[in-house]
Amino acid sequence: MGHTNDPAVIERIMRTKGRWAIVGLTSNEWRAAYDTSLFIRDQLGMEIIPVNLPGDPVHGETGYSTLADIPPEKQPIDVVDCFVNSQKVGAVVDQAIAVGAKAVWLQLGVIDEAAAERAKAAGLDVVMNVCPAQQAWKYNL
């Protein structure tokens, strides 16, 4: 049986102020991560940390190449939001587990059942194949 999102978990994650590492966030305005990360920061009130291979800053926030590169003063990471393709997300989920993140959020179209199971087994909350910007209306956010 595959992963089923729990609406209570989605609502709790979206309502609880925290630190979101946005993996795959670049300054490319045409990518979904660009606008969604602004929504997460400006509408939900979360701190965002861009994570992209070159470690480039985005939206005025310091960027890092990997989750492991995020310094201790930016820990803990509450949510690792994954804007990478399904074939690559398992490695990101494994990094999230390794750095002690509290949750992983696999964006719309990002599906990896095995990675979701590993995250759940490690005690992380898991949301998969959902965009927070598209869920906000359900919770009056």
Side-chain angles (χ1 to χ4, degrees):
M1 182 170 158
H3 173 77
T4 302
N5 290 320
D6 180 343
V9 169
I10 292 172
E11 181 174 16
R12 180 174 39 78
I13 290 172
M14 290 179 65
R15 286 192 182 280
T16 304
K17 299 299 180 233
R19 184 174 288 134
W20 288 45
I22 315 286
V23 179
L25 174 57
T26 69
S27 58
N28 182 342
E29 296 177 21
W30 294 100
R31 303 291 306 241
Y34 190 85
D35 287 333
T36 301
S37 61
L38 284 174
F39 174 84
I40 291 166
R41 185 186 71 184
D42 299 343
Q43 299 301 313
L44 296 181
M46 308 299 178
E47 178 183 348
I48 63 167
I49 302 170
V51 179
N52 55 66
L53 288 178
D56 291 337
V58 184
H59 304 313
E61 308 289 346
T62 301
Y64 301 92
S65 296
T66 68
L67 294 173
D69 293 335
I70 298 172
E73 63 270 15
K74 292 283 190 175
Q75 305 282 345
I77 298 168
D78 297 296
V79 179
V80 174
D81 191 0
C82 303
F83 281 93
V84 298
N85 69 44
S86 297
Q87 293 75 27
K88 295 181 180 179
V89 78
V92 175
V93 169
D94 292 340
Q95 289 177 38
I97 294 166
V99 300
K102 297 175 186 173
V104 290
W105 189 300
L106 282 61
Q107 280 290 329
L108 194 61
V110 181
I111 300 167
D112 185 330
E113 296 288 349
E117 287 303 316
R118 290 194 305 276
K120 284 190 269 189
L124 281 70
D125 287 324
V126 177
V127 178
M128 185 164 57
N129 194 25
V130 174
C131 176
Q134 293 177 346
Q135 294 292 304
W137 67 273
K138 291 182 182 179
Y139 307 105
N140 295 315
L141 298 171

